[in-house]
Amino acid sequence: MTEISQFRFPTDIRFGVGARSVLAEFGRKYKLRQPLLVTDSGLPQTEAFRLVVKEADRVWPGRCVQFTGVHANPTDQDVEDAWRAYVQGGCDGVIGLGGGSALDAARALRLKVAFPNTALLDMPFNELPPLVPMCAIPTTAGTGSEVGRSSVITIRKIGRKAVFGAQPMMAEMAVLDPELTVGLPPNLTAWTGMDAMTHAIEAFVCPVFHPMCDAIALEAIHMVRLYLPRAYADGNDLEARGMMQVAAAMGAVAFQKDLGAAHSLSHPLSSEFGIQHGLANAICLVPVMKYNKEVSAAQYARIAQCFGINTFGMSDTEAADKAVEAVVELNGRIGIPSSLAELGIKESQLPMLAKKAFEDPCHTANPRPCTEKDLLMLYREACKQ
Ligand SMILES: [Fe+2]
């Protein structure tokens, strides 16, 4: 072991029913007079929004400014507009509320506050000063964006999504309040939950030395397996909702290691056909696990144990097969279709998708290397499962 590893888990996470009340502490700690609440246009109709705004109004009566213009795939224009609202409102801190898009835009907005005349991609990522304080409040349990340090923003000038990040972009505080996810419908609960599962499984098997993340990934797998079917069956099950929020944050902490081929396969399915990210992951994860089994059987055997399978007396390969079966079974229990064909994906579209999946960097961390041809084969498998 000659390489120097870096292990960091710095986010201050507050978890529990009603945890949104820590906004008061957030305000006190950073002496905020006038924060900007950043969210997407779909959120103001939700109960989660109402609950958080009520809390913000209690802490900053009439002074919490709102920006509700973040798009599902946020652009640099969204960040620009949020920044304008921030400046016009005389704001001094950020509350990001929503799914991954809103939290990504909120994180990027803080760069713009620090460097108003610099384009997002030209920010001095290696020497960022401390940014204005941010509290991240997720309303889904999947992306784990609240503990992330990067943003995915579509840059209009280059016409594609760019991923950029740095340690100071992490939120100062993340608030996991199960009451804010009870309104998620069963399908989105299942899809976002399987995104968390895919993060944990891909992070665990990716060949980066990080035993601390590995432990977190294994517990996240165990928790998703236990609580996702419950949250799916009964959206008001606050214990299951809460445990899914924690598992999602853990999955995202674990993938500071990296991800894998399922995410590379899933990204073009979302960008080309609008298939929800977690749904695409849930389907693609199965062929990727079968493909990786050859090199990751021992890790998959441990994953099988997290699914409650007694692997005593089994070879690693047998136990790995059980892990794949367990993912298939979980998908079935939470209403996830077993193939991409069921989502309308056609064989003739697969070569184009495989080309884009190969350009996506996630598969470079996959334990078994993938060529474009391998990714095409994996898509074919995902189509016919
Ligand atoms: Fe993901």
Side-chain angles (χ1 to χ4, degrees), residues 142-143 195 198-199 255 259 263 267 277 281:
T143 68
D195 187 27
T198 309
H199 293 158
F255 85 66
L259 290 166
H263 268 78
H267 287 149
H277 174 66
N281 273 333

Side-chain angles (χ1 to χ4, degrees), residues 244-256:
M244 279 306 300
Q245 281 187 311
V246 177
M250 288 166 72
V253 165
F255 85 66
Q256 64 181 274

Side-chain angles (χ1 to χ4, degrees), residues 15 39 62 64 74 140 148 203-204 216 257 314-315 361:
F15 165 69
T39 192
C64 181
T140 62
F204 180 66
I216 289 173
K257 278 182 71 181
M314 286 184 196
S315 68

Side-chain angles (χ1 to χ4, degrees), residues 166-183:
Q167 195 68 22
M169 287 173 66
M170 295 190 84
E172 274 66 28
M173 200 179 264
V175 172
L176 306 181
D177 184 340
E179 282 183 327
L180 304 181
T181 59
V182 293

